Amino acid sequence: MAKVCFGMITSLDGFISERNGKLDKLYKSFKPNDEINEVMANTGAVVMGRRTYDMTDDPDAYADDYEFQVPIFVLTHHPPAKHPKENDNLTITFVTDGIESAVQKAKAAAGERDVVILGADIGQQALRAELVDELQIAIAPLLLGTGTRMFEHLEDLEIHLEKIRTIETDEQMEVYYKVNRQGTD
């Protein structure tokens, strides 16, 4: 059965984008190795929010060169008027009825492969709804000081984690945590 993984690259001080919403500085040090490529290849579907989806200048580019050529489910209140280009592997579905529905549809599409959740707000919604099985956090060697935080607005939650894997590249560390639902008392 598919695991639901909230995964992102973050600065050491916990920001997933700089003050202007750009990600470029975070990805400068991202150089996947065989282990990371294996994890990425096990992705069967992606759930993202509308802000993450809109980060590209051309939505048709997802079908041409997006790193995950799998079904994408975009959680939004307002689907775009024009549906973006798709291909044999990558389809885009706009989901308007909540994070639970988006994850359920993504799991059905992923089959035995993993579902990756991208975007701070969507990830936070999924954590609140107890839909996340695993956190995958790549740490960039950078302090941004400000920007969008990965774990904002979770003040009333206490989430226990169990480290299950680390992957080290030349410049980054990726840490994988299992969300321990039993340890939340």
Side-chain angles (χ1 to χ4, degrees):
M1 185 154 124
K3 266 188 313 198
V4 178
C5 309
F6 175 25
M8 300 193 70
I9 188 169
T10 181
S11 63
L12 187 58
D13 53 349
F15 296 101
I16 58 148
S17 68
E18 63 170 289
R19 72 186 86 238
N20 299 321
K22 302 286 185 198
L23 308 174
D24 305 3
K25 292 177 185 176
L26 291 164
Y27 279 91
K28 279 185 182 177
S29 60
F30 181 69
K31 294 177 182 54
N33 60 19
D34 290 343
E35 273 186 283
I36 293 170
N37 287 334
E38 181 183 317
V39 170
M40 290 174 70
N42 196 44
T43 300
V46 171
V47 175
M48 67 175 66
R50 182 64 189 264
R51 275 180 281 190
T52 301
Y53 170 80
D54 285 340
M55 290 184 90
T56 182
D57 293 331
D58 178 12
D60 289 338
Y62 283 104
D64 297 330
D65 61 3
Y66 186 54
E67 61 191 326
F68 295 111
Q69 289 293 303
V70 296
I72 297 174
F73 297 85
V74 181
L75 188 59
T76 182
H77 295 291
H78 307 287
K82 179 183 178 270
H83 196 83
K85 184 167 91 172
E86 299 177 334
N87 63 41
D88 291 341
N89 298 314
L90 184 140
T91 57
I92 298 176
T93 303
F94 295 94
V95 180
T96 58
D97 56 345
I99 187 68
E100 291 87 353
S101 176
V103 169
Q104 179 183 29
K105 290 173 182 170
K107 285 174 86 169
E112 295 297 314
R113 294 167 63 201
D114 295 340
V115 172
V116 172
I117 295 178
L118 301 173
D121 184 55
I122 299 305
Q124 292 161 22
Q125 287 181 46
L127 283 167
R128 284 189 170 290
E130 298 184 354
L131 298 171
V132 177
D133 300 308
E134 191 173 297
L135 294 177
Q136 300 174 344
I137 303 168
I139 303 166
L142 176 66
L143 296 170
L144 288 173
T146 189
T148 303
R149 287 204 180 273
M150 186 169 180
F151 298 114
E152 196 83 68
H153 312 296
L154 297 174
E155 298 84 9
D156 59 330
L157 294 182
E158 184 175 304
I159 300 170
H160 293 253
L161 307 170
E162 174 187 340
K163 184 179 75 158
I164 55 174
R165 181 180 197 177
T166 57
I167 300 174
E168 192 172 332
T169 65
D170 289 343
E171 296 184 54
Q172 288 188 357
M173 176 71 69
E174 293 207 11
V175 185
Y176 296 71
Y177 294 98
K178 177 183 174 191
V179 176
N180 184 353
R181 290 187 181 85
Q182 281 69 42
T184 58
D185 30 319

